[in-house]
Amino acid sequence: MSVIDAATAANNENGKNDDAGRPGALPPGHGGSTVEKRRNLGIGSFVLLAVGAFVFLFPFYYMFIGSLQTSPDTSVAGAFPNPANLTGENYANINASVDLLKGLVNSGIFTGGVILFTVVFGLLVGYALAQMHFRGKGFVFGMMLLVQMIPFQLLLIPLYVMIVRDYGLADSYIGMILPFAINSTAVFVFRQYFMQLPSTLFEAARIDGASELRILWQIAIPLVRPAIVTAILLTFIGPWNEFLWPFLVTKDSSIQPLAVSLANYISNVAATASNPFGAILAGACVLAAPAIALFIFFQRQFISTNIGSSVKG
Amino acid sequence: MSLRSSDGGPAAGPPAAGAPVGRTADRRLVPRKRKNFLGRQPLGLLFSAPYVIYVLAVLAYPLGYAVYISFHDFFFTAPRVKVDRPFVGLDNYIAVLSDPAVQRSFANIGVFLVINVPLTVGLSLVLANALNRVTKLRTFFRVSYYVPYVTASVAVVGVWLFLFQQNGLVNALLGPLAPDPSWLTNSWLAMPTVALYVTWKQLGFFILLYLAALQNIPDELYESASVDGGNKWVQFWNITVPGVRSASVLVTLLATITGANLFTEPYLLTGGGGPDGASTSPVFLMYQKGILQGNPDVAAALGVVLVIGVLLIALIQKRLVGGKED
């Protein structure tokens, strides 16, 4: 049955991409010497990568240690945990100034809303562009390419005038979500994956009388699940980390995403706190943890080929 | 048009549930016979509609609106209040270009780009190349490089403030070599520190981009080079670097766009663009002039100038990096 063939083909495609050992993917009888060569060259590279990894990870380690220190120890010894100086108090302190749970929930609603719109509308237009023939398809495709080049600096002021001043959507989730609700990168990812599916599959379903929506829902979407995970991961980073726009749109702290309330704490309140860095680092850990956990859990889906194909097109 | 099917007829039912084979064969002819003005699957238009409407309403319209605002005497009013907004020609642009704060912010971005772009291109290419060669702990390395990229800037700014403060860990390590005044309050070092921060934060993304490009270089090239006695430096310069040229164009372009969009980092790291405007960015000035001081017209003009600047830089970079290929 062609559906199953296509499914396995799609799965193989995406499973293999992640395979770390690129030399291993060479055809047999061709790779032997290259693998040896690569291994020999590996030692210098390995040291370089290890130094790099330290530079990249140390601030996160230091962030966590710092968030547990009663008084900030900025000497070299402070980088190692000292049981006498450890406390959870910083978390209580930051939570007293910034409602951490509410901030996380607001970040979650903002991010979730963006992802929902991106995935639903992205799947529809991605499928249409890849597997349907209709008038204006070229126009939609060209529009998708152009949209990726629109710089946000140009939109900042008019969007602020429209959303905050004209439509009165300040301090609302919809006002936060609106400028990010459709992501052309995600559309591109979906289109690429739908293109890989054989069009005969869809022709057969059409002949059998299935409606386009049904074909999309029951045949196409189950075959491109990895694309949905990729799109969610790519989309997640934007709103979860976004600062400027929600900062402009929200003045009411009860609706602010955690990044905004933490930033306000850093620039306003911190000076008056007893251990400001402890509290800032505690808040930073709470803001950083969900994203890091998500990306470590889904690291197999967040790989170079996905990034490359989504950006380069 | 209904969502279910193009004609709402028998085709709308469950697909071929017990349908006789003969009818299926008949229906095969239907799409070919009907020359539809809207194409074979006109529903594609309906599927694309939400996206198209959104792009027009939230991207295309504001784009035109930005240009409109920049040519008029525009100020904030309460919703639905009709006011006269006279056309002022290039007044807002003249105000922007003659403002020393704006000139300073563009110079700051220049400093940022001079540090950030070469560092980003060089480090991400070298690290991606190393990552492509190593087989052990690959996943660990890859993840550790993109952890800063996926983490909110506000969170990592916290730890950088802690590391680079007057008596922070960095200065403790440097001892007498520590700069005075310290990194983020030093008018010579504030912008370079911001540039360093952004390089570190974004590098993981660019490493992944280069990794994708490296996969496309055929291994035969390296093999024949090593047969010819080329060492790994020769291979790196003569095969890897030219092989990823199109990725390099993209990386320089994206790094430039990041620089032009700079806001969060100078705002939080250097307390809103200090010391003495040494780390002010154009987007920060847009926020200050447009929203805090209520001059959206000047801010919109600044946005237009900034975008034109980015386009010019992008063209120059494409000439420099793109070389013969384009």
Side-chain angles (χ1 to χ4, degrees):
Chain A
M1 179 61 204
S2 56
V3 180
I4 295 162
D5 289 347
T8 34
N11 282 341
N12 283 346
E13 173 80 23
N14 298 304
K16 275 204 183 120
N17 279 346
D18 188 42
D19 190 7
R22 164 77 180 156
L26 285 172
H30 199 275
S33 66
T34 317
V35 174
E36 293 277 297
K37 187 119 254 140
R38 290 290 164 93
R39 291 243 167 89
N40 290 339
L41 288 168
I43 296 149
S45 301
F46 192 84
V47 174
L48 180 72
L49 288 171
V51 172
F54 176 77
V55 173
F56 278 74
L57 291 180
F58 177 75
F60 290 89
Y61 164 80
Y62 200 55
M63 184 199 266
F64 182 64
I65 294 296
S67 77
L68 294 171
Q69 286 174 348
T70 326
S71 58
D73 181 354
T74 54
S75 70
V76 180
F80 301 98
N82 171 8
N85 193 16
L86 292 186
T87 171
E89 216 175 287
N90 293 321
Y91 287 86
N93 286 343
I94 185 78
N95 197 36
S97 306
V98 174
D99 190 339
L100 293 177
L101 187 65
K102 191 166 242 172
L104 280 177
V105 169
N106 289 337
S107 292
I109 294 173
F110 174 34
T111 310
V114 169
I115 290 176
L116 185 73
F117 282 112
T118 303
V119 169
V120 171
F121 294 136
L123 279 171
L124 282 172
V125 69
Y127 171 71
L129 283 174
Q131 296 288 355
M132 293 169 91
H133 300 276
F134 58 94
R135 184 167 282 261
K137 184 169 155 178
F139 170 77
V140 177
F141 184 68
M143 180 183 250
M144 187 184 74
L145 293 180
L146 278 177
V147 160
Q148 287 177 310
M149 295 173 199
I150 297 180
F152 191 69
Q153 308 97 314
L154 262 184
L155 302 177
L156 184 66
I157 295 296
L159 279 177
Y160 181 82
V161 172
M162 286 164 64
I163 290 176
V164 175
R165 301 284 169 162
D166 292 351
Y167 306 147
L169 289 173
D171 285 320
S172 73
Y173 292 116
I174 198 78
M176 262 189 267
I177 292 170
L178 213 52
F180 303 96
I182 289 183
N183 180 333
S184 288
T185 308
V187 175
F188 214 101
V189 170
F190 288 136
R191 178 181 167 271
Q192 296 296 92
Y193 274 76
F194 282 130
M195 297 262 279
Q196 288 171 8
L197 303 178
S199 60
T200 46
L201 190 68
F202 300 98
E203 294 299 339
R206 279 176 197 134
I207 288 159
D208 285 347
S211 70
E212 289 296 336
L213 207 57
R214 194 187 173 99
I215 295 173
L216 176 63
W217 183 248
Q218 290 192 332
I219 301 173
I221 290 180
L223 289 174
V224 296
R225 270 201 208 111
I228 298 177
V229 177
T230 301
I232 289 176
L233 288 173
L234 286 173
T235 313
F236 175 89
I237 303 171
W240 187 268
N241 298 346
E242 178 64 25
F243 169 68
L244 177 56
W245 181 253
F247 170 71
L248 293 183
V249 170
T250 59
K251 293 284 165 270
D252 179 0
S253 63
S254 69
I255 203 167
Q256 281 171 346
L258 188 56
V260 177
S261 35
L262 188 64
N264 285 340
Y265 180 84
I266 291 176
S267 53
N268 302 324
V269 194
T272 58
S274 58
N275 178 8
F277 274 113
I280 289 173
L281 295 176
C285 285
V286 174
L287 178 59
I292 295 176
L294 187 80
F295 278 87
I296 289 176
F297 188 76
F298 283 107
Q299 56 89 10
R300 292 183 68 83
Q301 267 81 29
F302 191 66
I303 52 170
S304 52
T305 29
N306 288 342
I307 298 284
S309 64
S310 63
V311 179
K312 280 187 295 186
Chain B
M1 287 270 152
S2 85
L3 251 183
R4 290 256 107 205
S5 145
S6 51
D7 57 4
V21 182
R23 284 185 61 198
T24 316
D26 278 347
R27 220 173 274 145
R28 181 172 299 162
L29 295 172
V30 173
R32 278 191 214 150
K33 264 198 220 159
R34 202 201 300 130
K35 287 273 185 206
N36 197 322
F37 170 71
L38 294 171
R40 265 187 290 153
Q41 284 93 29
L43 273 180
L45 277 172
L46 205 62
F47 281 23
S48 309
Y51 176 77
V52 173
I53 292 168
Y54 172 88
V55 167
L56 292 176
V58 183
L59 299 174
Y61 174 71
L63 210 61
Y65 200 24
V67 177
Y68 171 88
I69 292 173
S70 72
F71 282 107
H72 289 77
D73 181 14
F74 198 97
F75 44 89
F76 294 129
T77 55
R80 271 175 269 286
V81 176
K82 286 258 178 246
V83 284
D84 189 30
R85 288 177 165 142
F87 178 79
V88 294
L90 290 172
D91 280 8
N92 292 322
Y93 288 90
I94 292 164
V96 162
L97 292 172
S98 58
D99 184 343
V102 172
Q103 291 162 4
R104 181 81 201 253
S105 75
F106 277 99
N108 290 340
I109 290 299
V111 172
F112 176 91
L113 292 179
V114 164
I115 296 170
N116 173 269
V117 173
L119 264 186
T120 301
V121 173
L123 288 177
S124 51
L125 179 54
V126 167
L127 285 170
N129 193 43
L131 204 53
N132 209 29
R133 287 166 185 278
V134 161
T135 44
K136 273 182 191 159
L137 288 177
R138 238 178 114 107
T139 305
F140 166 76
F141 287 135
R142 211 184 58 212
V143 171
S144 48
Y145 292 138
Y146 70 59
V147 158
Y149 170 65
V150 300
T151 311
S153 205
V154 174
V156 273
V157 153
V159 72
W160 270 65
L161 282 169
F162 190 43
L163 280 165
F164 283 87
Q165 61 172 319
Q166 185 76 55
N167 44 15
L169 183 68
V170 173
N171 283 354
L173 280 172
L174 287 174
L177 291 174
D180 180 45
S182 191
W183 303 91
L184 295 163
T185 48
N186 184 317
S187 54
W188 290 103
L189 288 174
M191 205 61 204
T193 313
V194 169
L196 210 62
Y197 169 85
V198 174
T199 309
W200 174 82
K201 171 88 167 65
Q202 302 284 345
L203 207 62
F205 174 74
F206 295 117
I207 290 174
L208 289 180
L209 268 185
Y210 269 126
L211 268 179
L214 287 172
Q215 317 274 301
N216 295 330
I217 302 179
D219 283 299
E220 289 79 7
L221 284 180
Y222 291 103
E223 266 172 49
S224 54
S226 63
V227 168
D228 290 346
N231 65 28
K232 61 179 174 179
W233 285 113
V234 174
Q235 291 181 23
F236 182 77
W237 284 113
N238 293 330
I239 300 171
T240 310
V241 172
V244 297
R245 181 170 282 154
S246 61
S248 298
V249 175
L250 187 70
V251 169
T252 41
L253 178 66
L254 291 176
T256 308
I257 291 172
T258 308
N261 268 314
L262 204 62
F263 174 82
T264 314
E265 292 78 13
Y267 178 78
L268 290 173
L269 276 175
T270 60
D276 195 24
S279 61
T280 312
S281 71
V283 175
F284 177 79
L285 286 180
M286 283 175 74
Y287 160 70
Q288 201 177 41
K289 290 179 184 303
I291 289 152
L292 292 183
Q293 299 169 0
N295 293 315
D297 43 7
V298 178
L302 175 51
V304 174
V305 171
L306 181 58
V307 167
I308 292 172
V310 171
L311 287 177
L312 287 178
I313 293 176
L315 277 177
I316 295 168
Q317 281 173 343
K318 205 169 157 58
R319 276 281 164 84
L320 290 179
V321 189
K324 308 146 220 168
E325 261 186 346
D326 299 286

